[in-house]
Amino acid sequence: EIAGAPASPLDVVCLDANKDYVIISWKQPAVDGGSPILGYFIDKCEVGTDIWSQCNDTPVKFARFPITGLIEGRSYIFRVRAVNKTGISIPSRVSEPVAALDPVDRARLKSQPSAPWTGQIIVTEEEPAEGVVPGPPTDLSVTESTRSYVVLSWKPPGQRGHEGIMYFVEKCVADTENWQRVNTEIPVKSPRFALFDLAEGKSYRFRVRCSNSAGVGEPSEATDVTVVGDKLDIPKAPGR
Amino acid sequence: QGPAAPKSFWVSEGKHAKFRCYVTGKPEPETEWHWEGQPLSPGRRRLLYRDHDGGFVLKVLYCQPSDCGLYVCAARNTAGHTLSAVQLHVREPRVRFA
């Protein structure tokens, strides 16, 4: 960064694109470096290359510029530098990629299926000790309760620990503290679960724990007592 | 791009191996991980998930020598199918001599 040079321009976006030109605009930098901004340089780079080229020889005044000389069908990213009498700013953040295509062709390509592509698999080694055990899930509630099944749903924990969270559901016959894990083998990845093997007429409470590679976390707060019965019982929405 | 020998990666026994593969395609491809020709499903030592950047991740926890082999990320949609492969080797703890 040059002392006295402006700060970088902001929010480089594409206003219009077709196969002949792309019009981009940007916001002037928050700081002019002490002397007025004389203009801007716009740079383009074809996606997939690292080659940046300057589009204009002399600085442009207006914060909007049509870029020509694009190859039809290729995608480009853009960045902008601001100039004052002291120097040139460091470049802005780059724009989203823009394809040099007429809108009709863009729409056609968008709706066309494309065969899958898989990148090189990257393998990394991780220390088992690094993992953080996730916190308890929240807002656990019984969203459906019938004679033959009960559906639970909850929210993932705020304190996520590692990625790849799985859940363990526990049940307990009301008035006891005898918690039993329901899914001992099958990992639950979605924040909902249906329990089927409950005894009709009995009352249960439920709770859920998170687990990841680092271990199993603390349980959520238990639900209120649910009677497994004939009626379709839809309790009030959680968190109200 | 012609068929090339899959890359090899080494991890130490007892450590986790994280495989990450980025997949594109439209409609959204169905993606599966395979090990030695067998489809992999999640388990106590195997996590399968999609990371925040959209990459497909397979994590094999506490690697053992028996986890060695060819790991394949296979993707399929209505327009076609493709795959990427790597060879995993598990480095056994080295015996040190004084």
Side-chain angles (χ1 to χ4, degrees):
Chain A
E1 233 167 320
I2 305 155
S8 307
L10 306 165
D11 296 340
V12 181
V13 293
C14 168
L15 297 179
D16 185 15
N18 62 49
K19 64 173 186 280
D20 299 309
Y21 63 83
V22 168
I23 298 177
I24 63 157
S25 77
W26 56 92
K27 292 195 181 122
Q28 65 175 33
V31 180
D32 67 8
S35 61
I37 289 169
L38 298 173
Y40 301 94
F41 285 115
I42 297 94
D43 303 330
K44 68 168 194 278
C45 172
E46 190 183 327
V47 171
T49 72
D50 290 323
I51 305 155
W52 284 96
S53 61
Q54 191 172 313
C55 303
N56 52 324
D57 295 330
T58 52
V60 296
K61 277 285 221 187
F62 294 103
R64 152 198 288 251
F65 187 73
I67 295 141
T68 53
L70 305 174
I71 301 168
E72 185 180 348
R74 306 239 175 125
S75 291
Y76 296 86
I77 50 176
F78 303 98
R79 67 184 189 193
V80 181
R81 294 170 290 153
V83 196
N84 66 11
K85 69 178 196 312
T86 314
I88 303 177
S89 74
I90 57 171
S92 66
R93 290 183 64 169
V94 304
S95 69
E96 292 290 314
V98 182
L101 283 173
D102 280 344
V104 181
D105 295 322
R106 189 189 321 279
R108 190 169 45 79
L109 280 175
K110 256 194 163 166
S111 61
Q112 234 167 38
S114 65
W117 171 88
T118 53
Q120 169 69 52
I121 300 170
I122 303 300
V123 184
T124 46
E125 182 178 298
E126 293 185 351
E127 286 294 331
E130 272 175 14
V132 177
V133 178
T138 58
D139 297 352
L140 172 65
S141 66
V142 177
T143 52
E144 231 177 284
S145 164
T146 72
R147 177 159 49 175
S148 50
Y149 66 90
V150 163
V151 179
L152 299 173
S153 78
W154 57 89
K155 286 191 180 150
Q159 179 197 336
R160 287 201 76 94
H162 251 204
E163 335 81 321
I165 285 191
M166 296 189 293
Y167 300 100
F168 288 112
V169 176
E170 296 178 344
K171 69 175 179 190
C172 166
V173 173
D175 305 322
T176 74
E177 280 299 325
N178 179 21
W179 289 96
Q180 285 180 300
R181 199 171 275 188
V182 176
N183 59 320
T184 47
E185 285 305 317
I186 317 126
V188 178
K189 293 202 290 183
S190 311
R192 55 191 164 271
F193 190 75
L195 291 86
F196 289 93
D197 48 354
L198 300 169
E200 198 183 337
K202 276 201 173 176
S203 308
Y204 293 92
R205 288 184 298 151
F206 306 100
R207 66 185 190 187
V208 180
R209 293 174 190 264
C210 299
S211 83
N212 62 11
S213 56
V216 180
E218 290 296 305
S220 67
E221 282 190 39
T223 62
D224 289 335
V225 170
T226 300
V227 184
V228 178
D230 213 358
K231 65 177 192 302
L232 181 72
D233 174 23
I234 300 177
K236 61 186 182 296
R240 298 275 160 81
Chain B
Q1 194 189 327
K7 272 195 176 179
S8 279
F9 285 91
W10 288 83
V11 296
S12 303
E13 187 174 350
K15 302 288 167 68
H16 301 341
K18 178 182 173 181
F19 300 77
R20 184 180 187 277
C21 187
Y22 192 73
V23 177
T24 62
K26 209 168 60 186
E28 176 79 41
E30 304 218 355
T31 304
E32 274 190 335
W33 286 94
H34 296 252
W35 171 70
E36 293 287 294
Q38 303 288 329
L40 288 178
S41 43
R44 291 175 66 85
R45 273 205 318 120
R46 264 190 227 122
L47 306 179
L48 296 160
Y49 61 93
R50 210 162 171 186
D51 67 18
H52 299 302
D53 304 321
F56 284 84
V57 177
L58 160 68
K59 211 183 261 193
V60 178
L61 307 181
Y62 308 106
C63 285
Q64 301 164 2
S66 59
D67 293 320
C68 285
L70 189 71
Y71 286 80
V72 168
C73 177
R76 166 184 301 274
N77 68 10
T78 51
H81 58 94
T82 188
L83 45 84
S84 293
V86 291
Q87 188 76 33
L88 186 76
H89 304 277
V90 177
R91 194 186 294 119
E92 295 190 40
R94 205 190 316 158
V95 181
R96 288 182 180 276
F97 295 97

